[in-house]
Amino acid sequence: MSEPNEERPTTRRGKTEYHPNETTATTEIDLLHRANELLKPLPGTFSELGGNLDGLLAKNKAWADLVSKVQPGYFEKTAKEKQKPKILWIGCSDSRVPAEIVVQMNPGEIFVHRNIANQFVHTDLNSLSVLQYAVEHLGIEHVIVCGHYGCGGVEAALSNNQNGIVDHWLLNIKDVYNRNSPQFDTDDKDQKWNRLVKLNVIAQVQSIASTSIVQNAWKANKKLEVHGWVYDLKTGYLEDLECNIRNTSELPHPIYTCIH
């Protein structure tokens, strides 16, 4: 696995890669992107709006009016159709990593669940409910756990400071650190931080794949794959950690198998 400043290969054996400069976007996506381009002259930060929530409502109206003008009937069509996303995105609550924007997808394409440090904890009914609904009712085919370099939650887990109730949540990341302690034999804080970001993502991928929700889908021969990615705030690029799990044989140990 490469560190965030290392070069990434442009091709991988056995994989088809997407290149943004290729003509692959649909007309619908092109139109919505065109609408966003036309809206760019409007203020893009809350401070530019003077900290006034009315400014958000005004921007929303301008956006909705423009989308309707560029693509008449878009919202009526969206409202009539049930959502059919094929991707569940489990990401960090960090405001700098919005799922649909970083992968340039339209509304309705990604089912999103976010929490501090992109964790999937087996005692968290929120995460479990999202996963079950996504797999059993929406029929998603890919679960993406997306962490990011510069994650404040991971940084807090590396420290011995008290931060309040969130410390109980971050104990799961401290456990990841403890299980992989030989990999942190360095005095370089950033290197430790980046490494724990990656290992935390991998741990959540394994945690999701260990659930009866996912394994029952596999037993029913449903297409379902769990992926681990990391977003680099400094470049805007996503990194595939290549820790995908597609069936029980790829779990870290047979003890995690719960189907027969």
Side-chain angles (χ1 to χ4, degrees):
M1 299 176 194
S2 61
E3 294 297 330
N5 59 344
E6 293 178 355
E7 290 187 1
R8 299 177 180 83
T10 55
T11 58
R12 293 194 183 103
R13 184 176 299 174
K15 291 188 177 182
T16 301
E17 294 200 334
Y18 169 78
H19 297 280
N21 60 343
E22 294 176 359
T23 309
T24 58
T26 64
T27 302
E28 182 175 299
I29 293 175
D30 284 337
L31 288 169
L32 288 178
H33 286 178
R34 181 184 163 202
N36 287 329
E37 286 293 322
L38 291 171
L39 283 169
K40 275 186 177 179
L42 296 177
T45 65
F46 193 49
S47 60
E48 289 179 308
L49 296 173
N52 189 338
L53 290 178
D54 289 339
L56 295 182
L57 295 174
K59 280 177 65 67
N60 164 255
K61 186 177 185 305
W63 170 76
D65 290 345
L66 187 54
V67 170
S68 295
K69 184 177 180 180
V70 172
Q71 190 174 4
Y74 172 78
F75 292 111
E76 290 83 355
K77 179 184 176 184
T78 301
K80 288 179 181 177
E81 296 178 348
K82 291 184 178 181
Q83 61 170 328
K84 299 177 182 177
K86 294 300 180 185
I87 299 168
L88 167 60
W89 178 286
I90 297 180
C92 182
S93 298
D94 194 301
S95 59
R96 299 167 294 178
V97 195
E100 292 89 351
I101 291 179
V102 300
V103 293
Q104 288 292 281
M105 285 285 101
N106 278 345
E109 294 297 319
I110 304 177
F111 195 57
V112 179
H113 178 66
R114 297 168 71 179
N115 59 51
I116 294 176
N118 45 272
Q119 294 190 75
F120 187 89
V121 182
H122 283 242
T123 54
D124 178 24
L125 292 179
N126 192 350
S127 297
L128 286 167
S129 298
V130 167
L131 180 65
Q132 182 180 29
Y133 183 75
V135 172
E136 296 181 6
H137 297 279
L138 294 179
I140 59 103
E141 298 178 352
H142 300 276
V143 180
I144 298 172
V145 179
C146 186
H148 66 96
Y149 297 120
C151 180
V154 173
E155 182 182 30
L158 276 169
S159 76
N160 299 111
N161 300 325
Q162 288 193 27
N163 301 284
I165 292 176
V166 71
D167 289 330
H168 298 279
W169 181 256
L170 297 177
L171 278 174
N172 297 286
I173 304 178
K174 289 180 181 285
D175 289 340
V176 173
Y177 180 97
N178 183 47
R179 292 196 299 269
N180 297 277
S181 55
Q183 296 194 43
F184 295 94
D185 187 18
T186 176
D187 294 326
D188 188 316
K189 177 188 172 184
D190 288 341
Q191 191 174 26
K192 282 185 177 180
W193 193 1
N194 291 337
R195 193 162 294 165
L196 188 54
V197 163
K198 289 182 177 181
L199 290 173
N200 179 51
V201 167
I202 294 170
Q204 307 319 312
V205 167
Q206 295 173 349
S207 181
I208 292 167
S210 298
T211 64
S212 59
I213 299 167
V214 168
Q215 294 188 29
N216 284 337
W218 288 335
K219 187 176 182 180
N221 293 318
K222 292 182 179 180
K223 179 183 177 182
L224 184 59
E225 188 169 353
V226 190
H227 312 258
W229 293 0
V230 173
Y231 178 72
D232 192 337
L233 292 171
K234 294 180 180 179
T235 65
Y237 291 143
L238 286 162
E239 178 183 352
D240 184 351
L241 299 184
E242 300 186 16
C243 57
N244 306 10
I245 300 181
R246 293 157 291 194
N247 52 62
T248 54
S249 68
E250 296 178 342
L251 290 168
H253 192 281
I255 193 65
Y256 294 107
T257 302
C258 59
I259 57 173
H260 305 285

